[in-house]
Amino acid sequence: MSHQTGINATSELKEFLAQARGGAVRIMKIVIRNEELVLDWYREPAQSWDKDYDQFLLPLLTPQEPCYILYRLDSQNAQGYEWIFIAWSPDQSPVRQKMVYAATRATLKKEFGGGHIKDEMFGTAEDDLCFQGYLRHMSSCCSPAPLTAAEQELQRIKVTEVTMEFGLDKRAQTLQGLAFPLQEEAKRALQQLKQRRINYIQLRLDVEKETIELVHTKPTETQELPYRIPTDSPRYHFFIFKHSHQGQLQEALVFIYSMPGYTCSIKERMLYSSCKNRLLDEVERDYQLEVTKKMEIDSGDGLTEDFLYEEVHPMEHTLKQAFAKPRGPGGKRGNKRLIKGAGENGEDS
């Protein structure tokens, strides 16, 4: 699949984008709704692009809802009018929503046509995307001055193309992601986990060193697992879930990616999401550890034994219900015939 998330533009949006490239539109806001890219709002030019900018753009920046904004400049290139592509991802919006928008960005760019896009901006606050913010962005592009935090985020998104995973049961979409190396203590812990000398590992990213560090390997019972999940920082967890299934004692290696709410920066969220799949590939390839279940949570509140069991054996109760033997008809039935008649199950029709 060529799209990062499987989210595509509706036919109505595709038609509108084709018309907008002709220059009749100054600004348009595009959102993800029902797993589709749709047009939310647009406006035609009123004055020159710089005078329209703040008046048109700032009211579209909803505090808790990411979006994409395409803003038309008055300049043109060989393909027509030039545009600014803006990705709005406010700090207050849900983590998973931010990830979806980050990973769908390339899809919308391709749909619109990269040759029409002169500049790209990424913002988490109005100051990043206002007219003065755009001028700062242009200035930074023309000089070797350090990038702002928002510009660093945009640059990192371009390089890594964030790895996505939806829900607890969907497999991750195939993006390359980042590969931070495991620190030596973390490697030893994974070897001990393979040998079943320990049953729990907690890992963290050292953003400055760009490595994956070991936090601890405290022995952990299932009822203690919720208390191992930090409430203020993201973590990776490997846990051997011991349980009884169909009368037999079993072990299942569970990988948990915990990302608490709004206390984490966008940079942390992007890095943890992007490093996750490469870490799992290394664990399964180099340490021959088979991960039975991979899940993403925002807190440890729901990590009960029943929840883990349902995640490790998700079809068990569904199958029991689907194939339950139906009740026979009411009343006393007569003796079965020894010779089949014309009906089903040896009974006359």
Side-chain angles (χ1 to χ4, degrees):
M1 182 179 293
S2 61
H3 301 293
Q4 282 82 352
T5 61
I7 294 175
N8 297 300
T10 62
S11 57
E12 292 83 1
L13 176 60
K14 291 179 181 180
E15 184 178 346
F16 183 84
L17 293 177
Q19 295 173 353
R21 286 194 291 266
V25 173
R26 171 68 77 195
I27 187 172
M28 61 183 113
K29 177 180 178 181
I30 297 164
V31 298
I32 297 173
R33 190 174 295 143
N34 297 325
E35 298 190 357
E36 289 184 310
L37 286 163
V38 299
L39 177 68
D40 184 73
W41 188 89
Y42 76 95
R43 187 167 177 179
E44 298 173 353
Q47 304 179 73
S48 62
W49 76 271
D50 52 335
K51 293 181 179 178
D52 283 344
Y53 191 95
D54 279 347
Q55 181 183 354
F56 285 13
L57 186 142
L58 294 184
L60 303 183
L61 304 180
T62 307
Q64 296 184 355
E65 182 183 355
C67 68
Y68 308 110
I69 294 172
L70 283 161
Y71 188 88
R72 181 178 70 74
L73 302 171
D74 292 335
S75 57
Q76 298 187 41
N77 61 22
Q79 298 191 37
Y81 281 101
E82 295 180 315
W83 295 72
I84 307 172
F85 184 93
I86 298 170
W88 168 244
S89 185
D91 287 331
Q92 297 90 341
S93 55
V95 174
R96 191 166 299 175
Q97 196 177 24
K98 292 179 183 180
M99 295 301 182
V100 172
Y101 272 84
T104 311
R105 180 185 61 87
T107 299
L108 178 56
K109 280 182 58 182
K110 181 179 178 181
E111 200 66 60
F112 184 70
H116 296 274
I117 298 173
K118 179 180 180 181
D119 293 306
E120 291 184 57
M121 297 177 66
F122 176 88
T124 63
E126 282 191 6
D127 287 345
D128 299 329
L129 301 180
C130 66
F131 184 68
Q132 290 301 317
Y134 177 65
L135 295 181
R136 289 194 299 269
H137 167 75
M138 292 298 296
S139 176
S140 69
C141 291
C142 298
S143 68
L147 299 176
T148 67
E151 289 158 357
Q152 290 175 7
E153 293 296 341
L154 176 58
Q155 188 178 64
R156 189 174 295 279
I157 292 171
K158 287 181 180 178
V159 172
T160 64
E161 290 299 335
V162 181
T163 301
M164 288 297 303
E165 181 173 272
F166 292 100
L168 298 176
D169 292 320
K170 287 193 177 181
R171 291 186 177 273
Q173 304 297 323
T174 54
L175 300 177
Q176 184 178 6
L178 291 175
F180 282 8
L182 284 161
Q183 174 249 11
E184 289 303 318
E185 286 186 4
K187 291 180 179 180
R188 285 194 291 270
L190 287 167
Q191 194 63 42
Q192 291 175 332
L193 187 71
K194 178 185 175 182
Q195 298 166 353
R196 295 302 192 260
R197 294 168 57 189
I198 57 177
N199 75 330
Y200 173 79
I201 294 176
Q202 185 176 131
L203 303 173
R204 62 177 286 271
L205 296 185
D206 188 319
V207 177
E208 299 300 323
K209 297 180 182 178
E210 297 190 348
T211 57
I212 300 177
E213 308 281 329
L214 176 68
V215 180
H216 69 80
T217 60
K218 296 178 181 177
T220 301
E221 298 296 330
T222 303
Q223 61 268 26
E224 298 173 317
L225 188 59
Y227 305 103
R228 298 283 189 251
I229 310 300
T231 59
D232 58 353
S233 55
R235 291 287 189 268
Y236 300 133
H237 314 258
F238 291 92
F239 175 64
I240 297 177
F241 174 47
K242 295 182 179 181
H243 60 284
S244 178
H245 177 60
Q246 295 182 346
Q248 294 185 342
L249 185 62
Q250 295 188 10
E251 293 183 351
L253 180 57
V254 177
F255 172 79
I256 302 170
Y257 163 40
S258 63
M259 174 61 69
Y262 309 130
T263 58
C264 303
S265 67
I266 291 179
K267 182 177 182 179
E268 280 186 303
R269 296 168 187 171
M270 298 297 183
L271 286 176
Y272 270 84
S273 178
S274 188
C275 288
K276 169 170 50 61
N277 276 18
R278 296 292 291 270
L279 168 63
L280 286 168
D281 288 344
E282 183 175 351
V283 166
E284 294 181 332
R285 181 187 68 244
D286 296 345
Y287 296 90
Q288 289 80 51
L289 283 165
E290 181 180 353
V291 178
T292 305
K293 183 66 186 179
K294 305 164 189 176
M295 62 182 69
E296 177 181 340
I297 61 173
D298 54 15
S299 74
D301 295 342
L303 283 180
T304 63
E305 184 171 357
D306 288 343
F307 172 79
L308 290 173
Y309 182 87
E310 293 292 339
E311 291 298 313
V312 172
H313 304 286
M315 296 300 295
E316 187 68 21
H317 296 290
T318 305
L319 289 173
K320 283 181 179 178
Q321 228 174 9
F323 294 98
K325 183 178 178 181
R327 291 185 177 184
K332 186 175 181 182
R333 302 182 66 186
N335 295 329
K336 290 185 178 179
R337 297 171 63 93
L338 297 178
I339 301 174
K340 289 186 178 181
E344 296 181 355
N345 300 323
E347 298 180 81
D348 290 330
S349 56

